[in-house]
Amino acid sequence: MKIGIMGGTFDPIHLGHLATAEFVRESFSLDEILFIPAARPPHKLCRHVTDEIHRLTMTNLATRSNKFFRVSDMELKRTGLSYTLDTMDALHKQFGATTELFFIIGADSLADLSKWHESKKLVARSHFIATTRPGVDVDFSATEKFFGSAASEHIHRVTTPAIEISSTEIRERVKLGRSIKYLVPEAVEEYILREGLYL
Ligand code: ATP
Ligand code: MG
């Protein structure tokens, strides 16, 4: 088995996340993609993050029509800060040695991967699929310099279709009363409006 892990704050989940995940699934012949909403991302402590129940519900709504997509609340259930190393260790244990795990990471996140908790251990133990993101240039030589041979062996780069959407933009648009149609799945749009999120 080969499983892709799509981690994120998903505040809210949008078509950029979904289209990227589907493209990666097909390109790398992954058996499924596991979406894992993050509890309290260590690097986002400065901004208000929407209640986890809303982010989890929206992730469920957004992924339900794809039989290869699954959602895990494992990071939400864990207490304290959520570190990817702990998540990947728990998943390796859960799935066993016959399953390969691929953490899908966007270009903006790859740029600060070296600053993640125990990042060298993390890259040594898991595969990464580094995707592109419009407006973000990544200096991969800096990544290679930091992680050494683990970078070329464990970080697989792929050019993904450019979809210029961010959760920040969605939140701003809702606040301004502007349309988010076709930027998030219809069910997510309806949920945001019904629950009065991001006002
Ligand atoms: P925010 O604006 O709040 O930071 P975001 O849109 O960046 O939200 P995150 O939940 O922070 O979304 O991202 C989770 C993962 O998805 C990251 O690895 C990020 O790089 C990737 N990602 C987010 N949006 C896109 C996109 N439009 N195209 C490709 N990858 C994306
Ligand atoms: Mg982001």
Side-chain angles (χ1 to χ4, degrees), residues 161-176:
I163 301 171
E164 202 167 0
I165 303 175
S166 69
S167 302
T168 302
E169 186 200 346
I170 306 284
R171 294 192 299 270
E172 283 169 3
R173 293 184 75 90
V174 174
K175 203 171 178 65
L176 294 170

Side-chain angles (χ1 to χ4, degrees), residues 6-17 20 43-44 47 103-110 116 131-134 160-171:
M6 187 84 189
T9 317
F10 303 135
D11 190 12
I13 190 163
H14 54 69
L15 295 189
H17 298 127
T20 301
H43 61 286
K44 280 185 184 168
R47 93 160 173 84
F103 190 90
I104 302 163
I105 184 168
D108 52 320
S109 308
L110 182 70
W116 289 20
T131 64
T132 49
R133 192 167 178 184
T160 42
I163 301 171
E164 202 167 0
I165 303 175
S166 69
S167 302
T168 302
E169 186 200 346
I170 306 284
R171 294 192 299 270

